[in-house]
Every structure is written in C-alpha cells, then in structure tokens.
Amino acid sequence: MTKFKYDETEGFKKGRDVWFEMRGEKVAQAAVDQAAQNEMTRDLRQFLFEHCFAAAWARPGLERMTRSIITISVLQALGRTEELKSHIRMGINNGLTREQLKEIFLHVGVYAGVPTAVAAVRAAMEEFDAADKAKAKG
Amino acid sequence: MTKFKYDETEGFKKGRDVWFEMRGEKVAQAAVDQAAQNEMTRDLRQFLFEHCFAAAWARPGLERMTRSIITISVLQALGRTEELKSHIRMGINNGLTREQLKEIFLHVGVYAGVPTAVAAVRAAMEEFDAADKAKAKG
Amino acid sequence: MTKFKYDETEGFKKGRDVWFEMRGEKVAQAAVDQAAQNEMTRDLRQFLFEHCFAAAWARPGLERMTRSIITISVLQALGRTEELKSHIRMGINNGLTREQLKEIFLHVGVYAGVPTAVAAVRAAMEEFDAADKAKAKG
Amino acid sequence: MTKFKYDETEGFKKGRDVWFEMRGEKVAQAAVDQAAQNEMTRDLRQFLFEHCFAAAWARPGLERMTRSIITISVLQALGRTEELKSHIRMGINNGLTREQLKEIFLHVGVYAGVPTAVAAVRAAMEEFDAADKAKAKG
Amino acid sequence: MTKFKYDETEGFKKGRDVWFEMRGEKVAQAAVDQAAQNEMTRDLRQFLFEHCFAAAWARPGLERMTRSIITISVLQALGRTEELKSHIRMGINNGLTREQLKEIFLHVGVYAGVPTAVAAVRAAMEEFDAADKAKAKG
Amino acid sequence: MTKFKYDETEGFKKGRDVWFEMRGEKVAQAAVDQAAQNEMTRDLRQFLFEHCFAAAWARPGLERMTRSIITISVLQALGRTEELKSHIRMGINNGLTREQLKEIFLHVGVYAGVPTAVAAVRAAMEEFDAADKAKAKG
C-alpha cells in the first residue's frame, strides 16, 4: 500500500523511464514503491527523476555508457562510495566491462588521489562478489 | 639554455610521448624546456610524465578520448579550473566536440553541484574564444 | 540579436521568474540575452532555470532568505568563490544583512575550515565595495 | 571515575553550556564523562567546546535554528555523514521540522550534487526511525 | 595459489620494499598474495607500489615520519577514513606518538573543519584499542 | 586611524603573538591595522587569532615547522591556493627549505591528485620570484 503519490510530470516520466531501463524493471519498481511510504523519500525520488535522470541521463548528445563513465568518475573523485556501488551496477548494465571499470578507477586515482582508487576497487569487488553469487544461485 | 636535466627513465619517455601527442610537439617542447630552468618545475614535470601520463594515459584498456572524458569530469567535480582548461584543449585534440563537452559539463553538474557546471562552461568559453581567434589569425 | 532560442517549458519559466526577482529585472535580462548568443551558454542557462532555480528556489517550504543562507554556506564550504559572490548579492536582495553574512562566514569556517572564512570575507568585501561605489555614484 | 580533567576556561564553559542545551543534559553529561577517560578524547572535547561551540554557536547575531541550518548544509555538502546525523538531532531540538530538513537536503543537493541529498535523506531516515522507536517505547 | 603475476619493474620493487618495511613483512606479504587472486586488485597493488610508494615514499628529501604526517593530514582533510586508519598504523611504525597524532588531528581540524578532527579521533581510538588488545594477548 | 577595536582576550593575545612571529612584526601590524577598518575584517582577524592561531599554532606538542608542513599539506589538498601562498611564506620563516616544500607538493599530489601538485608548484614559484626580487632590491 502506497501512502504518498508521485506527481507524474513530463520530467518525472522521462527520468523514471531511463532509470527503470538501467536498474531493471523489478528492482526499480520495488524502490519506487518503498520510497512512496514516506514523504521525505517520495520527494527525493521525485526530485531524482526530474532533476537527475531527466536532467542529465535523458538528454541526447552522449551515449548511456559514456554517461556511466562520467558518473563513476565523479562519484569516485568525490568519495561518494554508496552511490558509486549503485552506479557500478548500472554501468555494467550500460555495457562497461570489469576491465574498463578498473582502468577508470586507476585513471581517476591519478587525478583525485590514490585513496579514491583503493576505495573504488573495494566497492567494485563487493559488487562483483554479490553479482557472481547471484549468478551462481541462478 | 637548460639548467636541470631530466632523468630519461622508461616511464619518463612513455609519459612524455603521450603528452607530446596530445599537446602538440611545439607547445610541449617549449613547456618541457621552460620547466627545466628550475629544480622544482623540473621535478614536477618528471613526476607528471612518470606518475600521471605514463601511469594513466599510456595504459591500454581505454581510448584516449575516453580518458579525456574521465579527466575532464574529475577536474570539473573537484573545481580544478586551471587544469580543466588545459584538458579541454587536449580533449578537443583527442576528438571531443564542443557539443560533447557541453553534455559532460551539465552531467557532472548534477552529480557535483551546478556551480561546477557554471565554472566549466566559463572556462570552456575562454578556451573556445582563444582557439577561434588563433584560427582567424591563421 | 539572439541566435539561440530557449525552450520555454514550465520549469524554465518558473526558474526564470525566481531568478529575475532575485537578480533584478535589468541585469537578469541582459544575462539571459547574452547567454543566448552561444549554444553552450544557452543550454547552461536553460539547465539552471529548470534544474537549479525551479528545482530548488521555487519550491515552497523554506523562505527565500533561508535558501540564501543554505546556498552561501554550501558555496563557501566547497570553495566556489565566483558563485559565492553572486549569491552574496542575491542574499542581500533576499534580506540578509552584512552582519548576518559575517556570522555565516565564521560559522561555516568552523565546520569547513578557517581558510573558507578568509576567502568568503575577501569575496564579500569586494562585493560591498562595488555596491558602495555604485550607490555613491547614484 | 574520570581520569583526565578538563581545563574549565571561559571558552570551555561557554561552549559546554550551549552544547548541553542542544544535546540534552543527560546525554551530554555522559558523553563528557566518557571523553574524559582518555587524553585524546578529552583534548578533542575541550577543543570542541572552546573552538567550535564557543567560537561559533555561542556568538550573537544568528538564531540557533539558523546555525543548525548552516551546519547541516555544510555537513551534507562535505559528505560528513556521521556528524550530520548528530546535527539532525540537534537541529530538531533547535526547532527544525522534518519538512524543513527535507527542503534543506534537496536544496543542498542542487549545489553540492544529488548524491549528497541521497546520503542526507538516508541519514535522516535512520535518525527519525530511532526517534520514533524511542518515543513509542517512552 | 596465486593466479595473477606482478610485473616486477624497478618501480614495483622500490615501492614494495618501502611498504613492506612500514606495514611489517608478514601482513604485507599476505596482502600482496591476496591481491594477486584477482586481476583488478593485482593491478591496483601494482599501481600503488609504482605510483604511490615508489613515486612518493621512496624519494629522498623528507624523513619517513614527515611523510606520515603529510599523508595523515591529507587523508583527514579529505575524509578518507579507511585509508586514514591504515596510515595511523604505519605512522606509529614510523615513529609518531599518540600525543603527536592528537596534535595533528586538532591542527587539521582548524584548517579542514572540526568534523574531520572528530572522525580522525574516532578512527584512531579504534586503531589504538585494536593495538592494545593485540598487545595484551601477546 | 583605527575604527573598530579588538577584544584583547587571552586567546587573542596568544594567537596574535604566534602570528606576529611567523609573519614578521611589520607586515603583521599593518594587516591588523588594516583589518580594524571594517567590522567584518576585524571580527575575522579576532576569530583567526583565537580560533586558529591560539587554537592550533600556540599548542605545545609539535614544532612550528611541523605545523607548517601539516598546514601546507591540507591547503594543497583542499585547493585553497591563496591561503597556501601565505603559508609557503610562513613555512620558510619556520625553517622549511624549497627542496622540502617541493617534496611536500609531490607527496600530497599522490594522495590528493596530481593537479594539486601543479597548482602548489605554480603558487610556490610566484612566492619565490617575489622573494628573490625583494632580496635583489635589498
């Protein structure tokens, strides 16, 4: 049962569609429903669809994989590790290989400091382990 | 007349070669000669060739244009405006269009804060003006 | 003569209206016209109206002066000095006194490091001097 | 049994008084006693009373709620999540509503990047859950 | 059984030697072996030896304890808490006392914001507890 | 003629004395008098003496040169270039050589990103040039 309603503006729908494609329908829907249980999380989700996913990801001019590269670079550089994990997952959905991710981490490490590369590799290893286990389970 | 000598290690040469290609032979040689006038700038230049350009840019696994995208994203996010200008120039040499640069700036703005996009656009406009004037002059 | 057109979406208009009130009609219109001369600055301006001024400033729930306090605190903490100057001006238009600005600068200095307070005071003094001279001129 | 003594300077007392009012007498006293068990934590606590709470919070010129708004904005922008949680609690004691906190988080998200808003909302939800459970028990 | 081989370049060996001395032979060897299990962690370790420990720590011109002071200051200022813990350990191996560490934390707190001092003290207390327990165990 | 008075507290005097020694009597007195012309700069100067120079620099436990090393490392890492210049000058007064400064800049570059080393070297070269010219003039 959903307590708070989203405002289905143009921006909301555009951002939601991009995000559902990148996250996967099922996980995305569960997150959207969960967020609707509380006014604060509902408003954040609404804001993210309109002013993050519609504002940036839905624009033409760059491929989605390129947008993943940019996002991952920024999150590593700024040390936003939780968000980085979620974008490593989406980056793989957008076509990035583990080899390419590794190269991004080392390159960013030069420009933002080597500790950011250590943290990014640690985050990625956790994501890869989780993904490999999920796959093994089938 | 050069006062301080570089130590022409493997790393130095690998990094220097990448950088000369991206900056253009003439400008690069002048900068290397200028840096050799002083111990501090010589050591910085030596360090950059070995631990920045050889360490990151000379690695296989990502195209040079992709490395420009990563570098520009990080420099914008961290507010390193002077270095950003120099990498906008090199990014264009590596194949980035002005349209793509604009998309990077806005995308990073969402993840690192809109003031970083304002600063990046301001820096890019200065670079474009300088480039257009140089071209007009012939 | 304007070369690039804005896309007058709901968000654009909402953000533009807030910004015109805070910046002053005349200065704002000149900036909007100037930005329209180039695709990159036009797109940035469009983005700022929709995803900064409509996304944050046009929301209910906080007074405009409170939003100035938040914005100035963040810009000082992150060291975005150019943007800080423009928000000091707008903060004064939104009702902040010089005394209150000083208190913000010192308080943020404790939490983001004293060099941010030094930089903010320097930026504010420049703005105040400019404002006092403009006033003296009439 | 307290092993290390505080130096009860003017600044210490001024800062301590503000902090006790914002944290609540009982929790604050326990924290002060706990810190006195070790030289490093004692010195930190002494430093915080003199150079944070006396230096900023005890000054006239801004209401305490306004100082909470500034502090929360800076902590979110810089990604200091642990400290943010403690200031969300104190901000509520200083009169901030959950609705106002939400607006601060989204506004800061625009200026410091949307991942900071995601992290702040996550931190606040944890604080709210803990507070609601304590109340239900109480 | 080690799956991925290191490339034993000059830089690798120079960086490895410094790191083994600072970390302690046994812990260091285990970490190097563990990293070799996976291509990403192997490449990171290779990178760290060449472009962090050889690039900075193996240089003449500053004593190792001074390099610990610099590293700890930067890690605290940038909020890299995980890496900070590991460098608190190495700093003690390089001769820093707990008293000196405390002074570094408070000094950096003034320049990078008091929350960084709170986080650094918290990290150090964890390290000290672990070290004291290990010692008590014998 | 001085318009605003300082509050000569214990902290003020302790901080002022340290700063006068590090900056040089004449330059320091001129800066203090200049700051007293305006309420905002007077309050900032008062705050710096009490909550920066007394709070950190006047403490026992670390030599002044070590405090310079910490300060310079943090300012470089956070990109506070204007403040960095002033602390390069004071660091030299506290006994740091140009060679040691260079080593600090490169070491910090590894941990905070190479662009911070480039900016620090540029700042230092400006300071050295100014100092050399002043000396030549005699």
Side-chain angles (χ1 to χ4, degrees):
Chain A
M1 199 197 67
T2 298
K3 276 163 76 186
F4 293 91
K5 278 206 162 19
Y6 292 101
D7 184 8
E8 304 222 353
T9 60
E10 281 306 296
F12 176 88
K13 286 186 279 188
K14 232 196 305 182
R16 184 188 55 190
D17 290 354
V18 177
W19 195 65
F20 269 59
E21 281 174 43
M22 297 203 302
R23 284 299 263 130
E25 177 86 16
K26 214 170 130 185
V27 176
Q29 188 61 54
V32 164
D33 290 346
Q34 174 64 25
Q37 299 300 311
N38 183 287
E39 196 185 349
M40 186 178 269
T41 49
R42 192 267 320 257
D43 276 22
L44 175 66
R45 181 51 55 199
Q46 176 91 29
F47 182 90
L48 290 173
F49 283 161
E50 291 180 356
H51 302 300
C52 173
F53 292 97
W57 290 87
R59 292 176 69 93
L62 288 177
E63 285 178 27
R64 219 169 263 182
M65 196 172 96
T66 304
R67 293 191 181 275
S68 273
I69 293 170
I70 296 168
T71 309
I72 287 167
S73 300
V74 172
L75 294 172
Q76 176 181 334
L78 297 178
R80 317 283 188 221
T81 311
E82 280 312 305
E83 288 289 297
L84 178 60
K85 283 186 203 170
S86 135
H87 277 283
I88 288 170
R89 274 199 302 277
M90 288 194 273
I92 288 173
N93 288 351
N94 287 340
L96 283 172
T97 65
R98 293 183 181 193
E99 171 75 19
Q100 287 170 317
L101 283 167
K102 186 196 69 192
E103 288 302 317
I104 296 170
F105 300 153
L106 297 182
H107 193 106
V108 173
V110 168
Y111 284 93
V114 294
T116 69
V118 176
V121 166
R122 196 181 290 130
M125 294 303 291
E126 286 180 33
E127 285 306 309
F128 297 166
D129 280 357
D132 291 345
K133 273 177 198 155
K135 217 176 178 177
K137 261 198 179 171
Chain B
M1 198 198 67
T2 298
K3 275 161 76 185
F4 294 90
K5 277 207 164 16
Y6 292 101
D7 184 7
E8 304 221 353
T9 60
E10 281 306 297
F12 176 89
K13 285 186 281 187
K14 232 197 303 183
R16 183 188 56 190
D17 290 354
V18 177
W19 194 66
F20 269 61
E21 281 174 44
M22 298 201 302
R23 285 299 263 129
E25 180 84 15
K26 213 170 135 186
V27 176
Q29 189 61 53
V32 164
D33 292 345
Q34 172 66 25
Q37 299 301 311
N38 183 288
E39 196 185 349
M40 185 177 271
T41 49
R42 190 268 323 255
D43 277 20
L44 174 66
R45 182 50 56 201
Q46 176 91 29
F47 183 90
L48 290 174
F49 284 162
E50 290 181 356
H51 302 298
C52 173
F53 292 98
W57 288 87
R59 291 177 68 92
L62 288 178
E63 286 179 26
R64 217 168 264 182
M65 196 171 96
T66 304
R67 293 191 181 276
S68 273
I69 292 170
I70 296 169
T71 308
I72 287 166
S73 300
V74 171
L75 294 172
Q76 177 182 333
L78 297 178
R80 317 285 187 221
T81 311
E82 279 313 303
E83 288 288 296
L84 178 60
K85 282 186 204 169
S86 134
H87 277 282
I88 287 171
R89 274 198 302 277
M90 287 194 273
I92 288 173
N93 289 351
N94 287 340
L96 283 172
T97 64
R98 294 183 180 193
E99 170 76 18
Q100 287 171 317
L101 283 166
K102 185 196 71 193
E103 288 301 319
I104 296 171
F105 299 154
L106 296 182
H107 194 105
V108 172
V110 168
Y111 284 93
V114 295
T116 68
V118 176
V121 166
R122 196 181 289 132
M125 295 302 291
E126 286 178 32
E127 285 305 311
F128 297 165
D129 280 359
D132 291 345
K133 273 175 200 156
K135 217 175 176 178
K137 261 197 181 173
Chain C
M1 197 198 68
T2 300
K3 275 162 77 186
F4 294 89
K5 277 207 163 18
Y6 292 101
D7 184 7
E8 304 221 353
T9 61
E10 281 306 296
F12 176 89
K13 285 186 281 187
K14 232 197 306 183
R16 182 188 58 189
D17 290 355
V18 177
W19 194 65
F20 269 60
E21 281 174 44
M22 298 201 304
R23 285 299 263 131
E25 179 85 15
K26 212 169 135 188
V27 176
Q29 188 61 53
V32 165
D33 291 345
Q34 172 65 25
Q37 300 299 311
N38 183 287
E39 194 184 350
M40 186 177 270
T41 49
R42 191 267 321 258
D43 276 21
L44 174 66
R45 181 51 55 199
Q46 175 92 27
F47 183 90
L48 290 174
F49 283 162
E50 290 181 355
H51 302 300
C52 173
F53 291 98
W57 289 87
R59 291 176 69 92
L62 288 178
E63 286 178 25
R64 217 168 264 183
M65 197 172 95
T66 304
R67 292 190 181 277
S68 272
I69 292 170
I70 297 169
T71 308
I72 287 167
S73 300
V74 171
L75 294 172
Q76 177 182 334
L78 297 177
R80 315 287 187 219
T81 311
E82 279 313 304
E83 287 288 296
L84 178 60
K85 281 186 203 169
S86 134
H87 277 282
I88 287 171
R89 272 199 303 278
M90 287 194 272
I92 287 173
N93 289 351
N94 287 338
L96 283 172
T97 65
R98 293 183 181 193
E99 170 76 17
Q100 287 171 318
L101 283 166
K102 185 198 68 193
E103 289 302 317
I104 296 170
F105 299 154
L106 296 182
H107 193 106
V108 172
V110 168
Y111 284 92
V114 295
T116 68
V118 177
V121 167
R122 196 180 289 131
M125 294 304 291
E126 286 179 32
E127 285 305 311
F128 297 166
D129 281 359
D132 292 345
K133 272 178 200 154
K135 218 176 177 177
K137 261 196 182 173
Chain D
M1 198 197 67
T2 299
K3 276 161 77 185
F4 294 90
K5 278 208 162 18
Y6 293 101
D7 184 8
E8 303 222 353
T9 60
E10 280 306 296
F12 177 88
K13 285 187 281 187
K14 231 196 306 183
R16 184 189 55 191
D17 289 354
V18 176
W19 194 65
F20 268 60
E21 280 174 44
M22 298 202 303
R23 283 300 262 130
E25 178 86 15
K26 214 170 132 185
V27 176
Q29 189 61 54
V32 164
D33 291 345
Q34 173 64 27
Q37 299 300 311
N38 184 287
E39 196 186 349
M40 185 179 270
T41 49
R42 191 267 321 256
D43 276 21
L44 174 66
R45 181 51 55 198
Q46 176 91 29
F47 183 91
L48 290 173
F49 284 162
E50 290 181 356
H51 302 299
C52 172
F53 292 99
W57 289 87
R59 291 177 69 93
L62 288 178
E63 287 179 25
R64 218 169 264 182
M65 197 172 95
T66 304
R67 291 191 182 276
S68 273
I69 292 171
I70 296 168
T71 309
I72 288 167
S73 300
V74 171
L75 294 172
Q76 177 182 333
L78 297 177
R80 316 286 188 219
T81 311
E82 279 313 305
E83 288 288 296
L84 178 60
K85 283 186 201 169
S86 135
H87 277 282
I88 287 171
R89 274 199 302 278
M90 288 195 272
I92 287 173
N93 288 351
N94 287 339
L96 283 173
T97 65
R98 293 184 181 192
E99 171 76 18
Q100 287 171 318
L101 283 166
K102 186 197 69 192
E103 288 302 317
I104 296 170
F105 299 154
L106 297 182
H107 194 105
V108 173
V110 168
Y111 284 93
V114 295
T116 69
V118 175
V121 166
R122 196 181 288 131
M125 295 303 291
E126 285 179 34
E127 284 306 310
F128 297 166
D129 279 359
D132 292 346
K133 272 178 199 155
K135 218 177 179 177
K137 258 199 183 172
Chain E
M1 197 197 67
T2 298
K3 278 160 77 185
F4 294 90
K5 278 207 162 18
Y6 293 101
D7 184 7
E8 304 221 354
T9 60
E10 280 307 296
F12 177 89
K13 285 186 281 188
K14 232 197 304 183
R16 183 187 57 190
D17 290 353
V18 177
W19 194 67
F20 269 60
E21 282 174 43
M22 298 202 302
R23 284 299 264 131
E25 178 86 15
K26 214 170 131 186
V27 176
Q29 189 60 54
V32 164
D33 291 344
Q34 173 65 25
Q37 300 299 312
N38 183 288
E39 196 185 348
M40 186 178 269
T41 49
R42 191 267 322 257
D43 277 20
L44 175 66
R45 181 52 54 199
Q46 176 90 30
F47 183 91
L48 290 173
F49 284 162
E50 292 181 354
H51 302 299
C52 172
F53 292 99
W57 288 87
R59 292 176 68 94
L62 289 177
E63 286 179 26
R64 219 169 263 182
M65 197 172 94
T66 304
R67 292 192 181 274
S68 273
I69 292 170
I70 296 168
T71 310
I72 288 166
S73 300
V74 171
L75 294 173
Q76 176 182 333
L78 297 179
R80 316 285 188 221
T81 311
E82 279 314 303
E83 287 290 295
L84 178 60
K85 283 186 202 170
S86 135
H87 277 282
I88 287 170
R89 274 199 304 276
M90 287 194 273
I92 287 172
N93 288 352
N94 287 340
L96 283 172
T97 65
R98 292 183 182 195
E99 171 75 18
Q100 288 171 317
L101 283 167
K102 185 196 69 191
E103 288 302 318
I104 297 170
F105 300 154
L106 296 182
H107 194 105
V108 173
V110 168
Y111 284 92
V114 296
T116 68
V118 176
V121 167
R122 197 181 288 131
M125 294 303 291
E126 286 179 33
E127 284 306 310
F128 297 166
D129 281 357
D132 292 345
K133 274 178 198 155
K135 218 177 178 177
K137 262 198 181 170
Chain F
M1 198 198 67
T2 299
K3 275 161 78 186
F4 294 91
K5 277 207 164 14
Y6 293 101
D7 183 9
E8 303 221 355
T9 60
E10 280 307 296
F12 176 89
K13 285 186 282 187
K14 231 197 305 182
R16 183 189 55 191
D17 290 355
V18 177
W19 194 65
F20 269 61
E21 281 173 45
M22 297 201 304
R23 284 299 263 132
E25 179 84 15
K26 212 170 134 185
V27 176
Q29 189 60 55
V32 164
D33 291 344
Q34 172 66 25
Q37 299 300 312
N38 183 288
E39 196 185 349
M40 186 177 269
T41 50
R42 191 267 322 256
D43 277 20
L44 175 67
R45 182 49 56 198
Q46 176 90 28
F47 183 91
L48 290 173
F49 283 162
E50 291 181 353
H51 302 299
C52 174
F53 291 98
W57 288 88
R59 291 177 69 92
L62 288 177
E63 285 178 26
R64 217 168 265 181
M65 196 172 95
T66 305
R67 292 190 183 275
S68 272
I69 293 170
I70 297 168
T71 309
I72 288 167
S73 301
V74 171
L75 294 173
Q76 177 182 334
L78 297 178
R80 315 285 187 219
T81 311
E82 279 313 305
E83 288 287 296
L84 179 60
K85 282 186 203 169
S86 133
H87 277 282
I88 287 170
R89 273 197 304 276
M90 288 194 272
I92 288 172
N93 288 351
N94 288 338
L96 283 172
T97 64
R98 293 184 181 193
E99 170 75 19
Q100 288 170 317
L101 283 166
K102 184 197 69 193
E103 288 302 318
I104 296 170
F105 300 153
L106 296 182
H107 194 105
V108 172
V110 168
Y111 284 93
V114 296
T116 69
V118 176
V121 167
R122 196 181 289 132
M125 296 302 291
E126 286 179 32
E127 285 305 309
F128 297 165
D129 280 359
D132 292 346
K133 272 176 199 155
K135 216 175 176 178
K137 260 196 182 174

